[in-house]
Amino acid sequence: MLIVMDHEATSQQVEGVCDAVRRLGLTPKPMPGAERTAIGIVGNDGPIDPARFHGLPGVREAVSISAPYKQVSREWHARDSVIALPNGTRIGGDHVVVMGGPCSVESEAQLMATAEVVARSGATVLRGGAFKPRTSPYAFQGLGHEGLRLLAKARDRFGLAIVTEALDVANLDAVAEAADIVQVGARNMQNYALLKQLGRIGKPVLLKRGMAATVKEWLLAAEYIIAKGNPEVILCARGIRGFDSATRNVLDVGSIALVKQLSHLPVIADPSHATGVRELVVPTARAAVAAGADGVIVETHPKPCEALSDGQQALFPAQFGEMVDQLGVIAAAIGRSMHPSQARSAA
Amino acid sequence: MLIVMDHEATSQQVEGVCDAVRRLGLTPKPMPGAERTAIGIVGNDGPIDPARFHGLPGVREAVSISAPYKQVSREWHARDSVIALPNGTRIGGDHVVVMGGPCSVESEAQLMATAEVVARSGATVLRGGAFKPRTSPYAFQGLGHEGLRLLAKARDRFGLAIVTEALDVANLDAVAEAADIVQVGARNMQNYALLKQLGRIGKPVLLKRGMAATVKEWLLAAEYIIAKGNPEVILCARGIRGFDSATRNVLDVGSIALVKQLSHLPVIADPSHATGVRELVVPTARAAVAAGADGVIVETHPKPCEALSDGQQALFPAQFGEMVDQLGVIAAAIGRSMHPSQARSAA
Amino acid sequence: MLIVMDHEATSQQVEGVCDAVRRLGLTPKPMPGAERTAIGIVGNDGPIDPARFHGLPGVREAVSISAPYKQVSREWHARDSVIALPNGTRIGGDHVVVMGGPCSVESEAQLMATAEVVARSGATVLRGGAFKPRTSPYAFQGLGHEGLRLLAKARDRFGLAIVTEALDVANLDAVAEAADIVQVGARNMQNYALLKQLGRIGKPVLLKRGMAATVKEWLLAAEYIIAKGNPEVILCARGIRGFDSATRNVLDVGSIALVKQLSHLPVIADPSHATGVRELVVPTARAAVAAGADGVIVETHPKPCEALSDGQQALFPAQFGEMVDQLGVIAAAIGRSMHPSQARSAA
Amino acid sequence: MLIVMDHEATSQQVEGVCDAVRRLGLTPKPMPGAERTAIGIVGNDGPIDPARFHGLPGVREAVSISAPYKQVSREWHARDSVIALPNGTRIGGDHVVVMGGPCSVESEAQLMATAEVVARSGATVLRGGAFKPRTSPYAFQGLGHEGLRLLAKARDRFGLAIVTEALDVANLDAVAEAADIVQVGARNMQNYALLKQLGRIGKPVLLKRGMAATVKEWLLAAEYIIAKGNPEVILCARGIRGFDSATRNVLDVGSIALVKQLSHLPVIADPSHATGVRELVVPTARAAVAAGADGVIVETHPKPCEALSDGQQALFPAQFGEMVDQLGVIAAAIGRSMHPSQARSAA
């Protein structure tokens, strides 16, 4: 913590701040400058609320120095975390992982057709929403528990791992039982009740970045889950809100590279929701892997034009396969490789 | 719905789109232009998913025309909704309402001291968080049920109505029982599980705009609550995320005026969270009322420098009283008046 | 300047940074903490480039403390600057000033009709673009020098002061000769060649905030003009770019209140460009004055539907008059008053 | 153009709009719907200002359909534009181009050392600012004409092409004479006086996207230059302003892929300014190429810690070389290749 005084602050005001610091059991360290005095604080272990100093006479600003998170930080845990799934997929190591599937589980036929495409292409994780967060109360809300049952069936048939979203605490247990990875949507990134429960489920969590969340807030949301007992968090960049409606959101590739430096957690990207436009999905998926992402999660649908949700961003099956091939070459270009497909070897 | 074709689209492609429209039971209306053809759709009652057309050959764009919400819209409900509270406060009519209180309920002494300031100033609603959403898992999380008990006690003593936040479905019933208005925080604006339950509680809901939510998404969130059976929604502008860290958020006063035109629901503003800086709270509160807001919700604390949360934005008690007086003059300037204080008349 | 070290930085690395500080002729002040060491710098008069320290071993971050501007700052110049125009209008004191007129000067008939509306309503400054910045190369670009001639004629006839935009250095002299205030558009806020020339013209400058400019960048742009010799700068908030296309831009009223605190310069608001929608102009104009703005600049047109540019945001003449009356009441509510109209007394 | 009526609009109001359309010489095409009527306009060649209809009774909205640009659009010019430089570099074809050099030209020694690094690595274009746009009037403003002279000298010695920025019309001729590509900075993207002059210089232009410019505005700025006679425009994505100060700007890789679809012009990326942090430059450069960019422009400096501007984002010479190698592999992965180095073959 550094407290910056007004340039006209009196020495009594400086001393007043120093006293306030001492009352918290800490040591003030005044630094008189040509224009103004600043006061450093020595000896604090945890974060101090800057508000404690804002109201004191002569104070201009109070600046925090420490990062507010610990357990997610690479500063305290230098090695990459690697998360292992039951089907052998490992997320966060040398390999690049591809997760694919429909926006929503719509029917058994649709899901099995998609799962086959996903498995055949070499991807190892199947995505699909059973409970759907929809902006409009009148839009299709998902098949619910029946959707979970179908996902489990697809897993058994194709050897894929399953990632699907939990919308709230009430359906969390059902989702956690059915899924190999529990997804938290962007709109729920700061649903703290949900984050706390996720600390107790014993399954990996895919935590999407909120549309207007800073990297610090995103890492703090991960810290919530870890602080409650679950270290298996996968971060997912899904696009931030921008000012241009030409694309749905903005894929912030710089944040992918930044988070890989700040944290030991794996980071994947969701180019489907980041762009919202089919033609932009493959180029941005490649960009994410080139920037260092540990994988991507991409929507595909056997018949995008008939999809009940988000059809305009779903890849056609053939596009999905080509994307996996391209990502493999990009991964190799930066010294990584595609995840060896469990599904393929099983076939 | 309007479907815009590529300028090189063939007449067969135009006919193909027309067929697709007819298959949905609707009537296509092609409009050939100098550069390209557009196809209008006649006869649709509800919204059609543009994705149904995006993939068809020759289609450039599909544009929705209808607003996706109904029950919140002034187009279908011209008169202002007015929401009545047990202590006589009416929100949304000619009067301007002031809600005040601490960020968090910290202790009985703190809450009663603040409630007295709020009541004495002429405000009629007491705010105070019992369950607190905090960005960091290590920050003070609120007193919980004990906080609710203290709020009820303050209500009885000072004749104020109570507004406090429900964080999730699990604590919703307890909050709804204690509160006169249940608050939904900005981070929960799209927590659909919570929104649906709010449709069933029989208490007014204060719905904060999400930090990156568009006006349309905000109104759709209100539509969720109303569609599930609760018409008493109060919208609350609390600042949107901006690019400048000089203030915590940006108070979008244009959106206040816009929402008053688009919707019949009452709209209030939260200048404390919008700015995050004590010195900016009063000017922006005045601006919100001048723009047409039906009230404000403002943080005040007997000793801001000792507050356990958000102390840097809490008004000193004397400032709070002055603000209420200034808002009264502004309200009169635009043909409204401050809400007649129940608390004062009770005193 | 404060240099924050990695938590694993060695004492040699700390000493290395201290040496680098000393080589710049300054004094380092190390502050060892529980987690990491920070190093304050004592004795610097001007800003130091943080980049000088970013590359040194063990350095995590370098944080500037001083504000980078001086002459615009209220810290060094406590009293409000007041700018006097030839027609007696004073900007920045106790009065609130209204500037009005068309987006573009289109013809003598149109300009004189508008000027009459403006003068009759009690406003004292006439706006009107002779040189127009247009997003499209195919849009109407203004009447140019003929527009300046018409503005001068309107000034003589109605006793108004004139504000009009200079687009670049080439037409600056002509504009400065014709205008009482030279306007710099949002897209030119960081056109440094223009800013430097504005320092030499001997006329007040109306400096619009860039659509994505921070408050600091806006004040630094004003500092450019003042540093080159022209202290008469009027800041103008015209809306920042937001993520919601429901309004053209976002009127950041918090920034108006903030700039009044940080700087002694007058600040006015442009609600026409901030919202882009006629129905939102008057409420946001009221909001700006309520937040402490020293005035507003508003578009009005005798026949908005026939305007050659921006007709959808121009007030009808009757609306303009009503707005001036409402602003007078708001101004009085906060202890100010409308500027006494020179035009009226002349009539 | 599509005009959407209020749901309560009368048939007279609909007819009134139709008359207004006919008065413009165009044909209205009303489409009555279940909720409201919309009116299409047939036969317009150029864009119509929506404001012409906004004020008419019963009108809710007027929506433009045509893109406002023509000459930059791939719809009218399907093949990629390729821009050839005197040293043999071709921008926009199958090859990926690397431009490198210091932020500012500081001295002959610094520039020659950097140019050697650039040439040796295989890059073919040297960047370097002679005239510098600086946010603060007190920062280093560049060497000016002496800087141009040094750039010309470096070109002769190393066989590189030169790209450098023109700040305004006054120094444009000098810059255009010295440079092989004239750069327009992000803050000048809508400096229309400059854009018009750039149409007349007969040298390629590197047009950076403004920090808050939409893709449409960016393409319209390019349209200005082309409309005035210069078809050789290279678009440059340099990062848009975001809400998170963790990085300087946000590299919008989706926009790179989008612009490649909308326009035939070459697009390159500037990862140095997009991120502002050395450690993020290489990953985001890779991402840009993976997304389809035709090249990158990257800052490098022999001694970044002593740079007079932007040292914290300059690559060390060894990093620059490694980056070029990595980009070559990424380019190959998507069927392209690095530009064959003229400099190398000359050596």
Side-chain angles (χ1 to χ4, degrees):
Chain A
M1 177 73 60
L2 186 84
I3 301 159
V4 183
M5 303 297 291
D6 282 333
H7 87 108
E8 288 178 333
T10 63
S11 56
Q12 272 170 316
Q13 289 172 334
V14 171
E15 192 43 40
V17 171
C18 290
D19 281 347
V21 171
R22 287 186 204 105
R23 278 197 300 274
L24 295 169
L26 304 167
T27 307
K29 191 137 187 183
M31 298 183 287
E35 278 187 15
R36 63 182 83 244
T37 292
I39 301 166
I41 299 185
V42 177
N44 57 311
D45 270 296
I48 311 168
D49 189 345
R52 301 215 158 249
F53 303 104
H54 273 139
L56 297 181
V59 170
R60 185 176 178 81
E61 215 182 342
V63 183
S64 287
I65 292 166
S66 304
Y69 45 77
K70 277 271 163 79
Q71 305 199 49
V72 303
S73 172
R74 199 180 277 282
E75 229 189 340
W76 307 93
H77 181 309
R79 277 212 295 173
D80 282 351
S81 285
V82 177
I83 293 169
L85 304 182
N87 75 335
T89 302
R90 292 166 62 84
I91 303 175
D94 295 333
H95 299 304
V96 168
V97 171
V98 179
M99 310 181 180
C103 177
S104 306
V105 179
E106 298 171 8
S107 70
E108 179 158 353
Q110 170 247 21
L111 186 65
M112 296 304 155
T114 315
E116 194 181 346
V117 166
V118 169
R120 205 171 346 115
S121 75
T124 58
V125 182
L126 177 67
R127 63 150 289 149
F131 299 93
K132 293 302 300 174
R134 300 305 299 272
T135 310
S136 164
Y138 309 122
F140 174 61
Q141 310 273 326
L143 295 184
H145 293 279
E146 169 65 6
L148 296 179
R149 199 187 59 78
L150 293 174
L151 285 166
K153 195 165 175 181
R155 170 175 46 197
D156 293 346
R157 188 178 306 172
F158 296 100
L160 297 163
I162 298 296
V163 57
T164 193
E165 181 167 353
L167 279 189
D168 68 337
V169 172
N171 61 31
L172 178 58
D173 285 346
V175 171
E177 198 183 312
D180 299 302
I181 304 172
V182 176
Q183 177 178 322
V184 179
R187 297 159 180 134
N188 268 333
M189 192 202 85
Q190 293 184 312
N191 180 339
Y192 301 119
L194 184 58
L195 296 182
K196 287 175 189 171
Q197 289 302 321
L198 287 164
R200 302 187 178 111
I201 56 168
K203 286 274 174 89
V205 175
L206 183 84
L207 179 68
K208 293 200 168 183
R209 180 180 179 184
M211 273 195 297
T214 61
V215 163
K216 190 165 87 175
E217 291 166 343
W218 189 19
L219 292 175
L220 277 167
E223 185 94 359
Y224 256 93
I225 299 170
I226 298 178
K228 292 295 175 185
N230 185 352
E232 297 197 313
V233 178
I234 302 158
L235 299 166
C236 179
R238 63 86 84 188
I240 54 173
R241 186 137 255 175
F243 52 80
D244 189 355
S245 57
T247 54
R248 182 165 169 172
N249 290 295
V250 174
L251 181 63
D252 180 6
V253 287
S255 78
I256 294 174
L258 178 63
V259 166
K260 290 297 294 177
Q261 293 174 11
L262 294 177
S263 175
H264 52 88
L265 297 175
V267 184
I268 69 166
D270 176 348
S272 305
H273 287 90
T275 63
V277 181
R278 182 181 303 121
E279 288 72 22
L280 302 179
V281 171
V282 177
T284 50
R286 293 190 312 236
V289 171
D294 297 302
V296 293
I297 180 166
V298 172
E299 289 185 6
T300 181
H301 193 283
K303 295 180 182 170
C305 297
E306 296 176 9
L308 295 181
S309 57
D310 278 353
Q312 76 280 7
Q313 71 195 35
L315 295 187
F316 289 97
Q319 287 177 305
F320 187 81
E322 285 163 30
M323 179 194 73
V324 176
D325 293 342
Q326 290 188 353
L327 296 183
V329 189
I330 302 266
I334 57 170
R336 307 181 78 173
S337 61
M338 288 304 283
H339 202 282
S341 170
Q342 307 304 313
R344 276 188 181 172
S345 58
Chain B
M1 178 73 60
L2 186 84
I3 301 159
V4 182
M5 304 296 291
D6 282 333
H7 86 110
E8 288 178 332
T10 64
S11 55
Q12 273 171 317
Q13 290 173 334
V14 171
E15 192 44 40
V17 171
C18 290
D19 281 347
V21 171
R22 287 186 204 104
R23 279 196 300 273
L24 293 169
L26 304 167
T27 307
K29 190 138 186 181
M31 299 182 290
E35 278 186 14
R36 63 181 84 245
T37 291
I39 300 165
I41 299 185
V42 177
N44 56 312
D45 270 296
I48 312 169
D49 189 345
R52 301 215 158 249
F53 303 105
H54 273 139
L56 297 180
V59 170
R60 185 177 179 79
E61 215 180 341
V63 182
S64 286
I65 290 166
S66 304
Y69 45 78
K70 276 273 163 79
Q71 305 199 50
V72 302
S73 171
R74 198 180 277 283
E75 229 190 338
W76 307 94
H77 181 310
R79 277 212 296 172
D80 281 351
S81 285
V82 177
I83 292 168
L85 304 182
N87 75 335
T89 302
R90 291 166 60 84
I91 302 175
D94 295 333
H95 298 304
V96 168
V97 172
V98 178
M99 310 180 179
C103 177
S104 306
V105 179
E106 298 171 8
S107 70
E108 179 158 355
Q110 171 249 19
L111 187 64
M112 296 304 155
T114 315
E116 195 181 346
V117 166
V118 168
R120 205 172 346 116
S121 75
T124 59
V125 182
L126 177 67
R127 63 150 289 149
F131 298 93
K132 294 302 301 173
R134 300 305 299 274
T135 310
S136 164
Y138 309 122
F140 173 61
Q141 310 272 326
L143 293 185
H145 293 280
E146 170 65 6
L148 295 179
R149 199 187 58 78
L150 293 173
L151 286 166
K153 195 165 175 181
R155 169 174 48 196
D156 294 345
R157 190 177 304 171
F158 296 101
L160 297 163
I162 298 296
V163 56
T164 193
E165 180 167 354
L167 280 188
D168 67 339
V169 171
N171 63 30
L172 177 58
D173 285 347
V175 170
E177 199 185 311
D180 299 301
I181 304 171
V182 176
Q183 176 178 322
V184 179
R187 296 160 181 134
N188 268 332
M189 193 201 87
Q190 292 184 312
N191 180 339
Y192 300 119
L194 184 58
L195 296 182
K196 287 174 188 171
Q197 289 301 321
L198 287 163
R200 304 188 178 110
I201 56 168
K203 287 274 173 88
V205 175
L206 183 84
L207 179 67
K208 293 201 167 183
R209 179 181 180 183
M211 273 195 297
T214 61
V215 164
K216 189 165 89 175
E217 290 167 343
W218 190 18
L219 291 175
L220 277 167
E223 185 95 359
Y224 256 92
I225 299 170
I226 298 178
K228 291 295 174 186
N230 185 352
E232 298 198 314
V233 178
I234 303 158
L235 299 167
C236 178
R238 62 86 85 188
I240 53 173
R241 186 136 254 176
F243 52 78
D244 189 355
S245 58
T247 53
R248 181 165 168 173
N249 290 295
V250 174
L251 181 62
D252 180 6
V253 287
S255 78
I256 295 174
L258 177 64
V259 166
K260 291 297 294 176
Q261 293 175 10
L262 295 177
S263 176
H264 53 88
L265 297 175
V267 184
I268 69 166
D270 176 349
S272 306
H273 287 90
T275 63
V277 180
R278 183 181 302 122
E279 289 72 23
L280 303 178
V281 171
V282 177
T284 50
R286 293 191 313 239
V289 171
D294 297 301
V296 293
I297 181 166
V298 172
E299 290 186 4
T300 180
H301 192 284
K303 295 180 183 169
C305 297
E306 296 177 9
L308 295 181
S309 57
D310 279 352
Q312 77 280 7
Q313 72 195 34
L315 295 187
F316 289 96
Q319 288 177 304
F320 187 81
E322 285 162 31
M323 179 194 72
V324 176
D325 293 342
Q326 291 189 353
L327 296 182
V329 189
I330 302 265
I334 56 170
R336 307 182 78 175
S337 61
M338 287 305 284
H339 201 281
S341 172
Q342 306 305 313
R344 275 189 183 172
S345 58
Chain C
M1 177 72 61
L2 186 84
I3 301 158
V4 183
M5 305 296 291
D6 283 332
H7 87 109
E8 287 179 332
T10 63
S11 55
Q12 272 171 315
Q13 290 172 334
V14 171
E15 192 44 39
V17 171
C18 291
D19 280 348
V21 172
R22 285 185 205 106
R23 277 196 300 273
L24 295 169
L26 304 166
T27 307
K29 191 137 187 182
M31 298 183 289
E35 277 186 14
R36 64 181 83 243
T37 292
I39 301 165
I41 299 184
V42 177
N44 58 310
D45 270 297
I48 311 169
D49 188 345
R52 302 215 157 248
F53 303 105
H54 274 138
L56 298 180
V59 170
R60 185 175 178 80
E61 214 181 342
V63 183
S64 286
I65 292 166
S66 305
Y69 43 78
K70 276 271 163 82
Q71 305 199 50
V72 302
S73 171
R74 198 179 277 284
E75 230 190 338
W76 307 93
H77 180 309
R79 278 212 295 171
D80 281 352
S81 285
V82 177
I83 293 168
L85 304 182
N87 75 335
T89 302
R90 290 165 61 84
I91 303 175
D94 295 333
H95 299 305
V96 168
V97 171
V98 178
M99 309 181 181
C103 176
S104 305
V105 179
E106 298 170 8
S107 69
E108 179 158 354
Q110 170 247 23
L111 186 65
M112 296 304 155
T114 314
E116 194 180 346
V117 166
V118 169
R120 204 171 346 114
S121 74
T124 58
V125 182
L126 177 68
R127 64 150 289 149
F131 299 93
K132 296 299 302 173
R134 300 305 299 274
T135 310
S136 163
Y138 309 122
F140 173 61
Q141 311 271 326
L143 294 184
H145 294 279
E146 169 65 6
L148 295 179
R149 199 188 58 79
L150 293 173
L151 286 165
K153 196 165 175 180
R155 169 174 48 196
D156 294 345
R157 190 178 302 172
F158 296 100
L160 297 163
I162 298 296
V163 56
T164 193
E165 181 166 354
L167 280 188
D168 67 336
V169 171
N171 61 31
L172 177 58
D173 284 347
V175 171
E177 198 183 312
D180 299 302
I181 304 172
V182 175
Q183 177 179 320
V184 179
R187 297 158 181 138
N188 267 333
M189 193 202 86
Q190 294 185 311
N191 179 339
Y192 300 119
L194 184 59
L195 297 181
K196 287 174 188 170
Q197 289 302 320
L198 288 162
R200 302 186 179 114
I201 56 168
K203 286 273 173 90
V205 176
L206 183 84
L207 179 67
K208 293 201 167 182
R209 179 180 180 184
M211 274 195 297
T214 61
V215 164
K216 190 164 88 176
E217 289 166 344
W218 190 18
L219 292 175
L220 277 168
E223 186 95 0
Y224 256 92
I225 299 170
I226 298 178
K228 291 295 174 185
N230 185 351
E232 299 198 314
V233 178
I234 303 158
L235 298 167
C236 179
R238 62 87 83 187
I240 53 174
R241 185 138 255 175
F243 52 78
D244 189 355
S245 57
T247 53
R248 182 165 168 174
N249 290 294
V250 175
L251 181 62
D252 181 5
V253 287
S255 77
I256 294 173
L258 178 63
V259 165
K260 290 297 294 177
Q261 293 175 10
L262 295 177
S263 175
H264 53 88
L265 297 176
V267 184
I268 69 166
D270 176 349
S272 306
H273 287 90
T275 63
V277 182
R278 183 181 303 119
E279 289 72 22
L280 303 178
V281 170
V282 177
T284 50
R286 293 191 314 238
V289 171
D294 297 302
V296 293
I297 181 166
V298 171
E299 290 186 4
T300 181
H301 192 283
K303 296 181 182 169
C305 297
E306 297 177 9
L308 295 181
S309 57
D310 278 352
Q312 76 280 8
Q313 71 195 34
L315 295 187
F316 288 97
Q319 287 177 304
F320 188 81
E322 285 163 31
M323 178 192 73
V324 176
D325 292 343
Q326 290 190 353
L327 295 182
V329 190
I330 301 265
I334 56 170
R336 307 181 78 174
S337 62
M338 287 304 284
H339 201 281
S341 171
Q342 306 306 311
R344 276 188 182 173
S345 58
Chain D
M1 177 74 59
L2 186 84
I3 300 159
V4 182
M5 304 297 290
D6 281 334
H7 86 109
E8 289 178 331
T10 64
S11 56
Q12 272 172 315
Q13 289 172 335
V14 170
E15 192 43 40
V17 172
C18 290
D19 281 347
V21 171
R22 286 186 204 104
R23 277 197 300 274
L24 294 169
L26 304 167
T27 307
K29 190 138 188 183
M31 299 184 288
E35 277 185 16
R36 65 181 82 244
T37 292
I39 301 165
I41 299 185
V42 177
N44 58 310
D45 270 295
I48 311 169
D49 188 346
R52 301 215 159 248
F53 303 105
H54 273 138
L56 298 180
V59 170
R60 186 176 177 80
E61 212 181 344
V63 183
S64 286
I65 291 166
S66 304
Y69 44 78
K70 277 270 163 82
Q71 305 198 50
V72 302
S73 171
R74 199 180 276 282
E75 228 188 341
W76 307 93
H77 180 310
R79 279 212 294 172
D80 281 352
S81 284
V82 176
I83 293 168
L85 304 182
N87 76 335
T89 303
R90 292 165 61 84
I91 303 176
D94 296 332
H95 299 305
V96 168
V97 171
V98 179
M99 309 181 180
C103 176
S104 306
V105 179
E106 298 170 8
S107 69
E108 178 158 354
Q110 170 249 19
L111 187 65
M112 296 303 155
T114 314
E116 194 181 346
V117 166
V118 168
R120 205 173 344 115
S121 74
T124 58
V125 182
L126 177 68
R127 64 150 288 149
F131 299 93
K132 294 301 301 173
R134 299 305 300 272
T135 310
S136 164
Y138 309 122
F140 173 62
Q141 311 272 326
L143 293 185
H145 294 278
E146 170 65 7
L148 295 179
R149 200 187 59 77
L150 292 174
L151 285 165
K153 195 165 173 180
R155 169 175 47 197
D156 294 345
R157 189 178 306 172
F158 296 101
L160 297 163
I162 298 296
V163 56
T164 192
E165 181 166 354
L167 279 188
D168 67 337
V169 172
N171 62 31
L172 177 58
D173 285 347
V175 170
E177 198 184 312
D180 298 301
I181 304 172
V182 176
Q183 176 178 322
V184 178
R187 298 159 181 135
N188 267 333
M189 192 202 87
Q190 293 183 311
N191 180 338
Y192 301 119
L194 184 58
L195 296 182
K196 287 174 188 171
Q197 289 301 319
L198 288 163
R200 303 187 178 111
I201 56 168
K203 285 273 174 89
V205 175
L206 183 83
L207 179 67
K208 293 200 167 182
R209 178 181 180 183
M211 274 194 297
T214 61
V215 163
K216 189 164 88 175
E217 291 166 343
W218 190 19
L219 291 175
L220 277 168
E223 186 94 359
Y224 256 92
I225 300 170
I226 297 178
K228 291 295 174 185
N230 185 352
E232 299 197 314
V233 178
I234 303 158
L235 299 166
C236 178
R238 62 86 86 189
I240 54 174
R241 186 137 254 174
F243 52 79
D244 189 355
S245 57
T247 53
R248 182 165 169 172
N249 290 295
V250 174
L251 181 63
D252 180 5
V253 286
S255 77
I256 295 173
L258 178 64
V259 166
K260 290 298 294 178
Q261 292 174 10
L262 295 177
S263 176
H264 53 88
L265 297 175
V267 184
I268 69 166
D270 177 348
S272 306
H273 287 89
T275 63
V277 182
R278 182 180 303 121
E279 289 72 23
L280 303 179
V281 171
V282 177
T284 50
R286 292 190 314 237
V289 171
D294 296 302
V296 293
I297 180 167
V298 172
E299 289 185 5
T300 180
H301 192 283
K303 295 181 182 169
C305 296
E306 297 177 9
L308 295 181
S309 58
D310 279 351
Q312 77 280 8
Q313 70 196 34
L315 295 187
F316 288 97
Q319 288 177 303
F320 188 81
E322 285 162 31
M323 180 193 71
V324 176
D325 293 342
Q326 290 189 352
L327 295 182
V329 189
I330 302 265
I334 56 170
R336 306 182 78 176
S337 62
M338 288 304 284
H339 201 282
S341 171
Q342 306 305 313
R344 276 189 181 172
S345 58

